Amino acid sequence: GMLNFFPAANLHGGDICAHCLFLVQLMPVVAYNLSKVLVIHAYPYEKMLKLCEESFSRAKEEFLLSKDNDFEYNLDFKKAENFFFKKIIDITRKVETGSKFWKDISITLYYFINGNKSGSQDIDIIHIPNSVLRFIAFAGEVDIKGWKNIVKRGWSTSKKKSFEELEKKYSNEVYQRLLNDENILEFFYDKQEKKVNCKWNLLKFYCLEVLKLEEKVLSFIKEVGDRIVETIEKLEDNKLKQVVRELENSTKLYQFENFFVRVEKIRQQKGIPNPLLTFEEFARLLTSYGEDINMSWKVVKNLLLFRIYEKLHDRLSSSSELEEDSFEYEGG
């Protein structure tokens, strides 16, 4: 504990819990009873009232029911961010302004351990970037199914559990990356199933608002993806999948560059007018996101794979593994 001299002006102070004192500084405040105690602090304050509505109603319910029996309400979430992001989507789908409700709002989560029994006094402080907040709200508003597909890929557990069960018990890599300002583009598609996990407009919002990609750059990458599709769709199924695998397996910059050379050769063989890329476009493609070229080309790669899977999923998923393993590309 720590000495608190304020309540009675006692020279000796009062021995109280330092975390309790800190909690009081956040008033007016409402706490959610998860596996720990979650306090959500938001500004402007009228937004905070919306975040606290459920807790108010649960407190009233507990008060009424506790008169007749031993009632204790517990939301049973182990991870504060899982509960919070679910709440953001729930509120967004109810308010008239939708995802715009979260514009220009600052939110911080304080996750306390109740140490009355164990004596442990820990606190996790989680700042929610506004761009991430608006992205998740937008996802819940325009493509909730796609968003759940993305989030599902963030759980490493192989246990067959429902989305709701996983959400309550396990940490999620997608959430962690968003909070740590790390890229989540690879979660927008499923490389094994050769399919996209969401609509293009959700990917677009993420790129523009979270990654801060310029819209003209994103449009250019999308156009390049369409040119690639225009070229490789003329191949037989087994050859088509082989070429796409070259892009999937590109872990080095030179491998990524070689993919474009091969697609250009296919383009020439098929008599498609106009080159895949001019020299200026190719240079732009490699340096269009950020100053770090190692980061830039990987962002482009993920966006191109999304576009290819979006357009050619049926053909890619129908190609047999036997055919693709036995085929050796002839383009050199």
Side-chain angles (χ1 to χ4, degrees), residues 99-158:
S99 58
K100 294 180 181 178
F101 179 81
W102 306 106
K103 184 179 180 181
D104 299 326
I105 177 173
S106 174
I107 297 181
T108 303
L109 309 183
Y110 299 88
Y111 205 26
F112 296 85
I113 288 181
N114 184 348
N116 290 340
K117 295 181 180 179
S118 66
S120 175
Q121 295 289 338
D122 293 326
I123 177 174
D124 292 328
I125 301 177
I126 306 171
H127 175 65
I128 309 296
N130 185 258
S131 60
V132 170
L133 179 66
R134 289 184 291 108
F135 165 61
I136 291 177
F138 183 80
E141 182 179 33
V142 304
D143 191 7
I144 185 63
K145 181 179 179 181
W147 173 240
K148 286 187 175 182
N149 289 337
I150 292 170
V151 174
K152 279 181 183 177
R153 298 199 62 238
W155 281 303
S156 58
T157 177
S158 59

Side-chain angles (χ1 to χ4, degrees), residues 306-321:
F306 184 98
R307 191 61 173 169
I308 291 170
Y309 293 155
E310 185 179 39
K311 293 291 187 179
L312 299 176
H313 165 69
D314 290 342
R315 289 189 60 195
L316 289 170
S317 60
S318 66
S319 301
S320 71
E321 292 294 328

Side-chain angles (χ1 to χ4, degrees), residues 184-309:
I184 64 166
L185 278 177
E186 64 190 75
F187 295 93
F188 280 80
Y189 59 82
D190 188 329
K191 189 169 74 171
Q192 298 300 320
E193 299 293 332
K194 315 297 181 189
K195 67 179 183 179
V196 298
N197 287 327
C198 66
K199 299 175 183 177
W200 174 266
N201 61 344
L202 182 56
L203 175 70
K204 178 180 178 180
F205 190 96
Y206 172 74
C207 290
L208 299 182
E209 300 297 330
V210 181
L211 292 185
K212 305 303 181 184
L213 205 63
E214 293 182 11
E215 186 165 5
K216 62 180 181 180
V217 171
L218 181 62
S219 297
F220 171 64
I221 296 173
K222 183 180 181 181
E223 180 185 343
V224 172
D226 289 339
R227 294 181 200 173
I228 293 172
V229 169
E230 174 191 43
T231 305
I232 64 177
E233 68 180 357
K234 299 184 181 299
L235 298 172
E236 297 177 0
D237 283 354
N238 59 337
K239 294 183 179 181
L240 168 66
K241 193 164 187 178
Q242 175 70 17
V243 173
V244 173
R245 286 184 67 192
E246 292 183 24
L247 178 59
E248 293 172 341
N249 296 333
S250 297
T251 58
K252 305 292 184 182
L253 179 57
Y254 76 88
Q255 295 172 324
F256 184 61
E257 294 170 338
N258 287 342
F259 168 77
F260 289 95
V261 174
R262 294 199 170 189
V263 173
E264 177 59 38
K265 288 183 178 180
I266 296 171
R267 199 172 179 87
Q268 293 176 9
Q269 291 169 1
K270 299 298 181 181
I272 301 174
N274 301 322
L276 176 66
L277 292 167
T278 65
F279 179 82
E280 290 77 12
E281 287 177 330
F282 188 54
R284 178 185 174 193
L285 195 68
L286 295 179
T287 59
S288 57
Y289 176 73
E291 298 179 358
D292 184 354
I293 194 170
N294 291 318
M295 173 64 74
S296 176
W297 76 266
K298 291 178 182 177
V299 169
V300 176
K301 170 189 169 180
N302 283 321
L303 292 173
L304 291 178
L305 282 174
F306 184 98
R307 191 61 173 169
I308 291 170
Y309 293 155

Side-chain angles (χ1 to χ4, degrees), residues 1 5 18 36 46 52 63 85 106 119 125 127 131 152 162 176 231 236 242 276 290 322 325:
F5 295 97
K36 305 177 189 177
E46 57 267 24
C52 294
F63 174 75
F85 289 144
S106 174
I125 301 177
H127 175 65
S131 60
K152 279 181 183 177
S162 67
Q176 293 302 317
T231 305
E236 297 177 0
Q242 175 70 17
L276 176 66
L322 179 62
D325 288 341

Side-chain angles (χ1 to χ4, degrees), residues 54-116:
E54 181 185 357
S55 188
F56 279 128
S57 63
R58 294 298 183 184
K60 292 178 182 178
E61 181 181 356
E62 181 174 350
F63 174 75
L64 294 173
L65 293 177
S66 63
K67 292 181 178 180
D68 301 318
N69 52 61
D70 294 329
F71 176 84
E72 181 178 357
Y73 183 77
N74 192 314
L75 290 165
D76 200 29
F77 275 80
K78 294 187 179 300
K79 297 296 178 181
E81 61 272 18
N82 294 19
F83 169 76
F84 175 74
F85 289 144
K86 178 183 183 301
K87 173 161 285 297
I88 292 301
I89 289 177
D90 289 344
I91 293 175
T92 301
R93 293 166 70 87
K94 293 177 183 178
V95 297
E96 292 183 2
T97 54
S99 58
K100 294 180 181 178
F101 179 81
W102 306 106
K103 184 179 180 181
D104 299 326
I105 177 173
S106 174
I107 297 181
T108 303
L109 309 183
Y110 299 88
Y111 205 26
F112 296 85
I113 288 181
N114 184 348
N116 290 340

